Amino acid sequence: MFGIIPSTDVSAKLIGLLPIPAMVVRAKDGAILVEATNTACREAGLANANDQQVPRHPLLDAIGARIGAFVESDRLNEDFPLQFGSSVECRHFRVAMARLSRNAEGRCVVTFVDQTAELRTEDNLRREMLTDSLTGLPNRAGFSERTEQLLEAAAPGFRYAILMVNLDRFSRVNACLGSMSGDELLITVARRLKGILRANDVLARTGGDEFAIFLAVEEGGNDVAHVTKRISSALATPFRLSGYEICVSCSIGVAFGARRVDDPEDLIRHAQFSVKRSKSSGHAEAYQPQAFDIAREQFGMETALRRAIDRGQLRLNYQPIYDLASGRLVSFEALARWRGEDGVEHLPSAFIPVAEESGLIVPLGRWAIREAVRTLAGWDAQFGGDCGVKIAVNLSAIQLQRDGIAPLLQSALIAHNLPGSRFTLELTESALVTDPDRIAGIMHALKGLGTTIAMDDFGTGYSNLAYLQKLPIDILKIDRSFVTGMLVDRDKVAIVRAILSLSQALGMQTTAEGIETNELAQTLAALGCTYGQGFAYAKPLEVDDAYALLESRRH
Ligand code: C2E
Ligand code: CA
Ligand code: CA
């Protein structure tokens, strides 16, 4: 072993003065002697550096043993990193040792390159890359790194949970109050969330309006339920933004895991998946593998639906709509139908959401418009002139956002030489939420083609009545959920009455959907509802049956 000769008091300035402190040292009988420092080396010449002893540098104390080993070896040079000093003042050096010459026995040059500044810059840059600049929280990458570090350090049986918190309708705050207010909201949410977590939980902002939380789960696992409750109540207090009081709710997805058993990246995905379920259920949802199977099934459905659209295997059914007062057949609503290759009939309530999520709604919607126009032209031809009915086509909110509907309809109308007045377009309230001004523009363009515009599923969504008034809406369609069973439910009657009087006030007509009994049809007519459709009249019909119905009504 090498001992160290106690250093005389070394001037700390030495390092400062010499950008690369170098010294010639001699290892002798287990001791390290400094023969010359940087300047002295130069003056004396390296080969001839055995002048007077100079004060030893404390860095040498740290590496005495390595120098000893080096001079005893037959290597000519060697280098390694060295950390020196305590935490805050810690400096990082690269130490290089080089043999002076083959016969300079026991002597070598040691140089220290101070890399502290470079490393600090690198460190800052790294930290920046892992941090969300708006909230100062870790970002997605930072979250992964922190959880990995914590799991690395955790005990073998350690159990944990990852929570994903997604703000509901955040885009609306941005759209209505501007992105400055949106930023302010995110910062406040971050602060409130931080406030309810324990010191060693990790909070990160992993997306625009998405936060992630890493929690240790203690025996019993009640802590997670507790935290989800506290999150909801922390956000329940309204936020003050640009002079408004804003209420924000959130959806929470949870996934549980154990160290070394589960990959935290999988858990993040699982929790994100559960957020989607939380959005529709309205409460926090824990990840369940069966739910994932449903999603996978949906993915299978997506592939099959894409193929069906490409191969033209979808068709439209037509449900008649009547004038309630006169009983006259006025139009047909076109409803998409899809029979799979295995002969199974898929419901629109299953495949339309898949189409919307996957973007397939764009080709599906284009097909539906063209098919409806083509059908009506065919009916007119068979009828020998205007057959006297309109066709109503459903438009999805996503389709409106992504596709140029008005030009598409216009070219279909031109191709079949039909006026726009023969068509109704059914839009849902949800179309108005994301970008109301743009959608208003599209509605005006459709109106410009002469079409009728109906607001579908009315009453189920968010309706800004003042806004509705400004839009070119001709018909409100009262959602089936209020109509079916209305006669035995006073709340439903009240809603239907309210919608009817609203539409009168706004100068709009109304269509009731889901009329299953004649009694209901009569009641609705008496209440002043304009049109109606439902099983009491007819189920959606195959195209030829619809035409037969139309023919049978010819007077
Ligand atoms: P929707 O636009 O509200 O269409 C009315 C739905 O109510 C239809 O369901 C129809 O079959 C059903 N219905 C009509 N009368 C009655 C009744 O008396 N009782 C009951 N229980 N149900 C009745 P369907 O055909 O299953 O369509 C479901 C939804 O799928 C539609 O709801 C619509 O939102 C969507 N959809 C269908 N075809 C298309 C399409 O081509 N494009 C788009 N974007 N959406 C479509
Ligand atoms: Ca509809
Ligand atoms: Ca509806």
Side-chain angles (χ1 to χ4, degrees):
M1 274 305 287
F2 282 84
I4 304 266
I5 293 179
S7 64
T8 36
D9 187 23
V10 167
S11 96
K13 285 189 199 124
L14 195 60
I15 294 178
L17 285 174
L18 306 169
I20 302 178
M23 42 198 97
V24 175
V25 300
R26 177 197 286 272
K28 200 180 167 203
D29 304 330
I32 305 290
L33 301 161
V34 177
E35 290 189 342
T37 61
N38 212 4
T39 357
C41 294
R42 240 183 288 121
E43 283 167 359
L46 281 177
N48 182 20
N50 63 3
D51 44 22
Q52 87 280 16
Q53 290 242 336
V54 290
R56 283 166 37 113
H57 193 281
L59 276 169
L60 274 184
D61 294 347
I63 55 165
R66 285 193 87 142
I67 296 176
F70 173 69
V71 293
E72 286 213 327
S73 76
D74 52 8
R75 274 164 292 158
L76 292 178
N77 42 49
E78 188 183 324
D79 68 312
F80 58 91
L82 174 71
Q83 267 190 43
F84 189 74
S86 60
S87 62
V88 192
E89 283 166 358
C90 174
R91 303 195 72 80
H92 301 265
F93 294 93
R94 176 142 288 274
V95 183
M97 298 179 289
R99 197 62 64 91
L100 267 177
S101 67
R102 287 209 179 270
N103 48 19
E105 206 190 308
R107 289 160 73 207
C108 68
V109 187
V110 182
T111 56
F112 298 90
V113 182
D114 188 343
Q115 297 183 311
T116 312
E118 281 163 52
L119 283 175
R120 289 221 173 116
T121 316
E122 210 177 290
D123 230 41
N124 286 345
L125 208 71
R126 226 178 113 64
R127 201 166 312 135
E128 236 163 72
M129 276 166 55
L130 297 174
T131 307
D132 165 44
S133 57
L134 181 68
T135 58
L137 295 173
N139 58 18
R140 176 70 171 77
F143 184 66
S144 292
E145 193 183 88
R146 274 304 286 144
T147 48
E148 251 150 49
Q149 283 168 355
L150 285 170
L151 288 173
E152 203 49 53
F158 179 78
R159 292 177 58 232
Y160 63 101
I162 288 180
L163 276 67
M164 285 294 179
V165 180
N166 197 293
L167 303 184
D168 297 334
R169 307 207 212 175
F170 175 71
S171 50
R172 263 182 58 207
V173 174
N174 259 345
C176 301
L177 301 181
S179 59
M180 289 274 277
S181 297
D183 287 355
E184 207 182 317
L185 176 65
L186 289 170
I187 293 169
T188 318
V189 168
R191 203 180 308 129
R192 288 195 192 174
L193 290 177
K194 192 92 199 160
I196 58 161
L197 295 176
R198 295 167 297 195
N200 41 3
D201 299 334
V202 182
L203 173 67
R205 177 170 171 237
T206 46
D209 56 356
E210 182 189 75
F211 293 86
I213 298 170
F214 173 95
L215 294 178
V217 177
E218 265 123 54
E219 279 308 310
N222 278 337
D223 15 2
V224 173
H226 190 63
V227 170
T228 58
K229 270 198 207 104
R230 298 226 298 181
I231 292 173
S232 302
S233 61
L235 300 186
T237 317
F239 294 80
R240 279 205 77 78
L241 295 176
S242 330
Y244 293 95
E245 290 226 319
I246 308 282
C247 288
V248 173
S249 60
C250 66
S251 305
I252 306 175
V254 186
F256 292 93
R259 178 179 185 256
R260 292 269 158 90
V261 180
D262 301 283
D263 179 354
E265 291 300 311
D266 283 342
L267 256 60
I268 294 176
R269 268 191 307 115
H270 293 169
Q272 279 171 329
F273 175 77
S274 305
V275 166
K276 285 197 186 162
R277 290 182 45 233
S278 166
K279 284 238 183 271
S280 44
S281 74
H283 51 77
E285 290 279 358
Y287 172 69
Q288 290 160 348
Q290 314 89 282
F292 203 60
D293 289 344
I294 295 172
R296 209 167 312 152
E297 198 175 285
Q298 281 198 344
F299 181 73
M301 182 180 255
E302 180 186 323
T303 315
L305 180 60
R306 175 167 290 130
R307 212 180 311 129
I309 295 170
D310 286 347
R311 298 185 183 170
Q313 291 170 340
L314 263 54
R315 63 190 201 285
L316 288 175
N317 272 189
Y318 297 88
Q319 187 175 37
I321 300 177
Y322 294 86
D323 181 308
L324 287 176
S326 67
R328 195 169 59 87
L329 172 64
V330 289
S331 62
F332 284 95
E333 176 174 2
L335 294 158
R337 291 293 177 263
W338 170 31
R339 188 177 298 128
E341 273 165 5
D342 48 6
V344 174
E345 192 74 56
H346 299 284
L347 296 172
S349 53
F351 70 81
I352 295 289
V354 172
E356 288 179 329
E357 216 160 278
S358 59
L360 285 173
I361 195 68
V362 171
L364 190 155
R366 288 183 178 183
W367 163 81
I369 291 176
R370 294 201 187 106
E371 180 66 11
V373 175
R374 196 179 67 82
T375 300
L376 193 58
W379 286 352
D380 279 358
Q382 258 179 295
F383 202 83
D386 184 338
C387 70
V389 294
K390 293 185 189 191
I391 287 186
V393 181
N394 289 287
L395 299 180
S396 144
I398 293 174
Q399 180 189 1
L400 282 170
Q401 280 161 26
R402 297 214 194 143
D403 205 12
I405 300 288
L408 181 82
L409 176 62
Q410 187 172 27
S411 71
L413 292 172
I414 291 169
H416 290 98
N417 196 24
L418 282 174
S421 58
R422 299 289 301 284
F423 292 88
T424 301
L425 298 165
E426 300 195 356
L427 284 66
T428 54
E429 289 169 276
S430 57
L432 300 173
V433 172
T434 35
D435 191 350
D437 293 336
R438 209 174 94 77
I439 300 300
I442 296 171
M443 288 169 86
H444 282 288
L446 291 171
K447 244 355 261 170
L449 297 174
T451 62
T452 303
I453 307 257
M455 181 77 3
D456 208 351
D457 301 345
F458 189 74
T460 57
Y462 152 87
S463 291
N464 181 332
L465 295 182
Y467 205 88
L468 277 186
Q469 198 176 5
K470 283 194 241 155
L471 295 172
I473 299 168
D474 304 291
I475 299 176
L476 295 182
K477 287 196 81 168
I478 309 172
D479 192 63
R480 200 170 80 209
S481 58
F482 304 122
V483 176
T484 313
M486 171 185 124
L487 295 179
V488 290
D489 187 333
R490 289 168 63 193
D491 291 344
K492 287 185 181 177
V493 180
I495 292 171
V496 170
R497 276 180 191 278
I499 296 175
L500 290 173
S501 62
L502 171 75
S503 64
Q504 260 159 22
L506 297 177
M508 297 173 187
Q509 296 182 308
T510 37
T511 301
E513 41 175 50
I515 303 179
E516 293 187 351
T517 62
N518 290 331
E519 195 190 359
L520 199 49
Q522 282 159 15
T523 310
L524 284 161
L527 287 173
C529 180
T530 331
Y531 308 111
Q533 68 187 100
F535 296 169
Y537 295 99
K539 293 203 168 174
L541 306 168
E542 297 297 334
V543 57
D544 292 338
D545 298 332
Y547 182 74
L549 175 73
L550 180 64
E551 243 329 319
S552 73
R553 296 218 140 210
R554 196 202 276 260
H555 356 264

